[in-house]
Amino acid sequence: MIVDRTHFGWGAGTIVASAGAALLYCANNDPEVLKEWNGLLAWPDWLGPVPPLRGNFGATPLGLIYGTVALLIFIFAALLGWRRNHSSWPAGRIQVWLKAHIWLTLLTIPLILFHSGFGWGGPMTQILAGLYVFVMVSGFWGLALQHLVPKLMRESLPEETIFEQIPFIRSQLVAQAEAIRGELASQAEEALPKAGHHESGTVALASENTVAVKSAIQFLDQQALPYLETLKPRGLALYNDGASDDQFRLLKLRLPESLHAPLVQVQNLCDEKRRLDLQTRLHYWLHSWLMVHAPASILLVVLTLVHAAVATFIYA
Amino acid sequence: MPTPRKDQKQIAQRYAGNLRYFRKLNPFRRSRILLMLGCLLLAVGLALIYIQSIKTSRRAQLFSSSGGISREHFRFGQDCQKCHDPAVKIDLQNPAVMNASLDAKCEACHTRHTFHQVEVVENLSCLDCHHEHLGTGPMQPVADSNCLSCHGNAAVMAASAQKGLQFRAGDFHVKSKNDLLVYFQPPRPAMGYTQVFQSFEKDHPDFQIQRENLTDPNTLKFNHKSHLTGKDIPLVDGHKLDCAYCHQPDSQGAYMQPISFAKNCQACHVLQIDPTLPDFQIPHPTSVSEANSVRDFILTLPTQYATYAADKMGMKDATQVAAFVSDHMSAIRQRTREGTDLIQEVFYTDKRKINPGDGTPPAAGERALFPGCAHCHEVKTSAANEPVVTPPVLPDRWYVHAEFSHATHSTMKCEDCHGQVLQSVKSSDIYLPNKASCVACHSAKGGVVSTCATCHGYHNPAPGPNVASALSLRN
């Protein structure tokens, strides 16, 4: 999800809601703020005395409202994964869900701060606060990655493929390389001189071709195929774009022109493998944050529910 | 080497053998889902264990504590039931039940103070002002808002003033932690201390002493101006008299030690009645029980001379002692003016710088010999026609509704707050700092804290003995 102009309404709404929450918090804590209102707005009795008599703001009516709203936003945010997997359900557009996910969870920052009264509380709330910070930071990290990585993919991967197809395509590349190797091997066998049927000059030429083909096969066996087959190509000679170009250029200089066509095919396969590896890496970068964000969010929602239940039903 | 771009058809053809890929989760997604399920199971499991054990396990109870226990209560911070009665539940609609339970626990240890004044109309709970579970540091000071919930509320203050009319002056608490201290106790205003205000700086009432132009009822005659600026004041131990000569801080540095004759006056004001014997002096009473000691000394003057001769001069021979007594008694009788007796002279004379014997004042810088009790004291005549010295009462505390520490104001000079005292010629003058001089620093502009709790305490001791009974005769 890219944060662009279409988010303006959500952003403005979040700022207004945060300002409103802050104003209410200040009014609840400082009688001077209420005086500024000059009686235009009366503080409702059900919101308790101003300022609250107790130090635990989270237990005041306004603190409970902030906490409850934040909890509902947590639950809504956690439902995003379910919504994405059930895109056909008539529950609003996923784009709207994504925007709401970003901006409503941002709104929880002031809500949680006000609910906690800017305090850490006890062990339970400290763990919750730590988990909350972790979830929010991982969310921000994910948002930043979603701005940077797709742009990088567009520039570096003009033929981005479906991520789930990458292993299949990679196996196709290996099969194609092995086919090329098979063709080269049969060429080498055919080029072998048959004793007594050729003149010495022809035998010498045939012997040179055989050596060249064997060199190409050796390159395939030792460099290209191991590179195409491995999932971790780091350290191999063809891993690097520039080094790979140099390798193939040198090989073409050494080998006869008749072998250039299969070499170009192998080079294309290696280049595609390199792009698939890059796509895999970028895909992990783009989605790896979800490996921590989503499980931590689940933990946060459940523990927040426990916190609410204990505070409301056991200690109350 | 750039590869020619493939069209969508070419790309799609590559997936021909793997069109059901979406039915199988890729390892990345599969591990994420497994991790989420694991977290969900872990969280639910932990939650169930926690909720099950919270009723019985102290550790689980401490885990859900709303915050650390303050330094003051830390030693029993692991024992929730020290404060919380498990049988009493929080009821947000009716917090009084829970408050009463907690207050009772507070009072189990904090037994020695009462709650404010008798005309309070709204009883508060300990928890209203003292907040626990806010961290392991010191307990947070009481917020102004707690005080202003009553003192800033006109309706509450009006009701309090009305309720206060039902009580006698003695029913109100006097801030007295030590019955040996003397408190300057101004008369209580008719409506009590119920003026509504919102901050010290803006609308806190002026201090009662200045507001009502109160005077010091002390009967001791003392002239600050002449003692501090007079040119004929002798040096004491080589130094000019200054504030600190008499006003010495107590062990905590908060207040000043009581003034006493022996410590602060006697160095100059010797009670020598015989010009030939410097250390033959009238004893100065130190308490009400010794009030007759001067009269007794004079009435037994021959005996006092005899004791002096034996103890101080080492005379063993009775004849020698008798001669010593006779000589000095004769001299006293010659000095005493005809028609007046010595008691009258000692008590009623108010002569400054009189040299016994010849009636001439001492030269400038000489120490004054004893001019008579009335020089410093109020001396009245009793029904039996005997002189009676009114015991002087020097208050140890002036602002009895506030706390003060000279130690925390040690960077200031005495005259910064008590500047006018250099012009004071009467004992009745009270030159204590007024509100404006406090506000100069204790305000937003001054930058020094000015909360209610900076000067005031909410709690008071139980009604003690009448102030008058606490007065002691010191000089």
Side-chain angles (χ1 to χ4, degrees):
Chain A
M1 164 67 55
I2 303 293
V3 179
D4 53 20
R5 285 181 182 179
T6 61
H7 287 244
F8 180 80
W10 283 99
T14 302
I15 290 168
V16 169
S18 300
L23 192 65
L24 279 173
Y25 179 80
C26 293
N28 200 177
N29 280 281
D30 186 358
E32 294 295 317
V33 175
L34 285 176
K35 279 186 195 163
E36 298 293 324
W37 294 355
N38 288 326
L40 291 175
L41 294 170
W43 188 256
D45 288 341
W46 60 270
L47 282 179
V50 176
L53 292 175
R54 303 295 164 79
N56 187 0
F57 185 78
T60 64
L62 192 61
L64 285 172
I65 290 172
Y66 287 160
T68 307
V69 172
L71 173 60
L72 292 175
I73 292 174
F74 284 174
I75 294 170
F76 166 77
L79 287 174
L80 178 66
W82 168 85
R83 179 72 188 93
R84 291 179 78 161
N85 289 332
H86 298 80
S87 52
S88 60
W89 286 37
R93 288 167 53 217
I94 292 181
Q95 286 296 311
V96 176
W97 275 68
L98 276 167
K99 286 175 184 171
H101 181 91
I102 293 169
W103 291 103
L104 291 180
T105 48
L106 269 176
L107 177 62
T108 61
I109 294 175
L111 292 179
I112 295 294
L113 285 175
F114 298 148
H115 172 70
S116 65
F118 296 90
W120 286 100
M124 176 77 172
T125 46
Q126 283 169 12
I127 288 174
L128 276 179
L131 205 51
Y132 174 70
V133 170
F134 182 78
V135 170
M136 293 303 286
V137 169
S138 63
F140 286 131
W141 173 241
L143 194 61
L145 287 175
Q146 293 203 348
H147 276 78
L148 298 173
V149 176
K151 192 179 169 194
L152 201 63
M153 287 177 95
R154 272 198 307 279
E155 290 169 357
S156 324
L157 301 166
E159 290 177 14
E160 182 189 349
T161 189
I162 298 167
F163 178 74
E164 284 78 4
Q165 294 281 11
I166 286 177
F168 178 68
I169 294 174
R170 201 181 273 142
S171 65
Q172 283 183 343
L173 297 181
V174 173
Q176 287 173 24
E178 282 173 344
I180 293 169
R181 186 197 179 282
E183 282 176 20
L184 288 173
S186 58
Q187 271 184 35
E189 275 184 20
E190 284 172 10
L192 277 176
K194 290 174 182 170
H197 290 275
H198 299 284
E199 292 177 3
S200 60
T202 312
V203 170
L205 185 61
S207 176
E208 275 180 21
N209 273 339
T210 306
V211 170
V213 171
K214 281 187 175 175
S215 295
I217 291 172
Q218 190 183 17
F219 172 77
L220 275 168
D221 288 343
Q222 292 180 356
Q223 304 271 355
L225 280 169
Y227 173 70
L228 291 171
E229 284 168 352
T230 185
L231 293 174
K232 294 178 180 175
R234 189 181 288 269
L236 297 181
L238 298 178
Y239 170 71
N240 183 277
D241 218 1
S244 172
D245 279 351
D246 290 344
Q247 288 261 2
F248 280 101
R249 198 179 301 117
L250 285 172
L251 206 58
K252 283 177 203 165
L253 286 174
R254 280 201 292 119
L255 297 181
E257 205 163 323
S258 59
L259 290 175
H260 285 194
L263 281 179
V264 169
Q265 285 179 358
V266 173
Q267 186 176 8
N268 288 341
L269 295 178
C270 291
D271 288 345
E272 188 163 1
K273 162 76 163 57
R274 202 173 300 111
R275 283 194 295 273
L276 291 175
D277 287 346
L278 177 63
Q279 186 185 338
T280 306
R281 281 201 302 279
L282 289 176
H283 182 90
Y284 283 138
W285 272 106
L286 185 60
H287 299 287
S288 60
W289 63 279
L290 274 173
M291 289 289 279
V292 290
H293 181 76
S297 301
I298 296 286
L299 211 54
L300 177 67
V301 171
V302 175
L303 292 182
T304 308
L305 282 168
V306 173
H307 163 67
V310 169
T312 312
F313 299 113
I314 294 181
Y315 282 119
Chain B
M1 182 177 180
T3 312
R5 293 195 63 161
K6 295 172 184 161
D7 58 31
Q8 289 299 314
K9 195 173 179 182
Q10 286 173 315
I11 292 171
Q13 278 172 351
R14 304 197 64 184
Y15 308 145
N18 189 33
L19 290 178
R20 297 192 172 192
Y21 70 93
F22 54 87
R23 293 194 174 177
K24 201 167 64 177
L25 289 175
N26 70 56
F28 184 71
R29 204 162 169 203
R30 188 166 51 234
S31 48
R32 194 173 81 209
I33 290 172
L34 284 174
L35 207 55
M36 285 171 67
L37 280 174
C39 276
L40 184 63
L41 287 174
L42 177 74
V44 171
L46 286 175
L48 288 175
I49 294 169
Y50 171 60
I51 290 172
Q52 281 295 315
S53 58
I54 199 166
K55 296 280 184 192
T56 52
S57 164
R58 181 177 291 177
R59 190 174 287 181
Q61 289 164 358
L62 286 172
F63 186 71
S64 57
S65 153
S66 62
I69 299 292
S70 69
R71 194 169 61 194
E72 288 81 355
H73 297 140
F74 186 72
R75 63 197 162 91
F76 51 80
Q78 302 295 310
D79 184 3
C80 303
Q81 293 182 13
K82 190 82 177 176
C83 299
H84 297 280
D85 185 345
V88 179
K89 299 285 181 189
I90 297 173
D91 182 357
L92 290 177
Q93 297 303 316
N94 185 19
V97 178
M98 180 75 177
N99 291 354
S101 164
L102 288 165
D103 287 351
K105 298 276 189 178
C106 298
E107 287 172 320
C109 295
H110 300 278
T111 54
R112 298 194 61 192
H113 57 253
T114 58
F115 291 91
H116 215 44
Q117 295 293 356
V118 288
E119 85 271 42
V120 165
V121 289
E122 204 173 345
N123 280 321
L124 296 177
S125 161
C126 307
L127 282 69
D128 289 331
C129 302
H130 303 290
H131 304 148
E132 252 306 350
H133 291 289
L134 292 180
T136 52
M139 275 190 92
Q140 289 195 357
V142 174
D144 282 0
S145 54
N146 291 114
C147 306
L148 296 177
S149 66
C150 290
H151 286 276
N153 186 321
V156 172
M157 283 293 99
S160 179
Q162 201 59 38
K163 185 178 176 185
L165 296 174
Q166 303 166 14
F167 298 96
R168 295 170 301 152
D171 294 332
F172 293 91
H173 296 297
V174 175
K175 197 165 185 62
S176 169
K177 289 177 182 169
N178 183 344
D179 286 347
L180 293 176
L181 294 177
V182 179
Y183 288 79
F184 180 75
Q185 189 67 33
R188 187 177 174 78
M191 301 306 280
Y193 301 99
T194 55
Q195 187 171 330
V196 178
F197 61 94
Q198 298 298 334
S199 77
F200 176 64
E201 182 181 351
K202 290 177 186 166
D203 48 1
H204 183 288
D206 286 333
F207 304 153
Q208 191 179 5
I209 288 175
Q210 289 89 23
R211 193 174 68 229
E212 298 179 1
N213 289 320
L214 299 179
T215 55
D216 185 355
N218 182 21
T219 55
L220 189 74
K221 301 166 190 170
F222 186 77
N223 184 332
H224 274 97
K225 182 181 178 183
S226 70
H227 277 81
L228 292 168
T229 62
K231 291 178 181 171
D232 54 349
I233 298 295
L235 301 179
V236 181
D237 298 332
H239 297 287
K240 198 171 180 299
L241 275 184
D242 59 6
C243 306
Y245 179 77
C246 295
H247 300 288
Q248 291 285 328
D250 60 19
S251 58
Q252 295 179 332
Y255 292 100
M256 295 298 166
Q257 294 177 32
I259 303 291
S260 74
F261 174 79
K263 197 172 63 179
N264 305 111
C265 310
Q266 198 167 19
C268 296
H269 296 277
V270 291
L271 304 187
Q272 178 188 348
I273 61 165
D274 189 324
T276 62
L277 300 174
D279 50 351
F280 185 71
Q281 295 180 9
I282 298 174
H284 191 283
T286 56
S287 67
V288 175
S289 63
E290 295 176 7
N292 290 329
S293 60
V294 175
R295 195 165 156 274
D296 293 346
F297 183 89
I298 294 168
L299 290 174
T300 59
L301 205 53
T303 310
Q304 302 299 336
Y305 270 123
T307 306
Y308 180 86
D311 293 349
K312 299 283 174 103
M313 304 187 78
M315 293 183 188
K316 306 287 183 193
D317 183 34
T319 315
Q320 196 182 1
V321 170
F324 176 81
V325 172
S326 174
D327 288 350
H328 284 276
M329 286 304 294
S330 300
I332 288 282
R333 287 192 193 99
Q334 283 174 11
R335 183 166 65 85
T336 307
R337 282 166 291 179
E338 197 174 345
T340 60
D341 77 343
L342 189 57
I343 288 180
Q344 293 289 312
E345 182 181 308
V346 165
F347 276 96
Y348 290 109
T349 305
D350 176 16
K351 292 179 179 174
R352 293 168 185 273
K353 300 160 190 162
I354 295 290
N355 269 335
D358 58 7
T360 57
E366 263 185 48
R367 287 185 175 182
L369 295 178
F370 181 53
C373 299
H375 180 60
C376 298
H377 294 285
E378 180 185 72
V379 183
K380 291 179 177 174
T381 305
S382 70
N385 203 29
E386 289 176 346
V388 178
V389 172
T390 307
V393 179
L394 279 72
D396 298 297
R397 303 285 184 271
W398 290 91
Y399 290 133
V400 294
H401 297 291
E403 295 286 346
F404 182 80
S405 172
H406 282 93
T408 55
H409 294 79
S410 58
T411 54
M412 303 178 75
K413 295 176 183 171
C414 303
E415 51 266 37
D416 290 342
C417 297
H418 306 279
Q420 293 295 314
V421 81
L422 295 175
Q423 307 304 320
S424 169
V425 296
K426 294 182 292 181
S427 304
S428 58
D429 294 336
I430 302 177
Y431 287 119
L432 287 172
N434 57 17
K435 184 194 154 189
S437 68
C438 297
V439 165
C441 296
H442 293 277
S443 59
K445 190 179 175 187
V448 181
V449 63
S450 59
T451 63
C452 304
T454 306
C455 300
H456 299 288
Y458 177 81
H459 300 292
N460 283 308
N466 193 304
V467 176
S469 69
L471 304 184
S472 62
L473 178 65
R474 289 218 181 82
N475 292 306

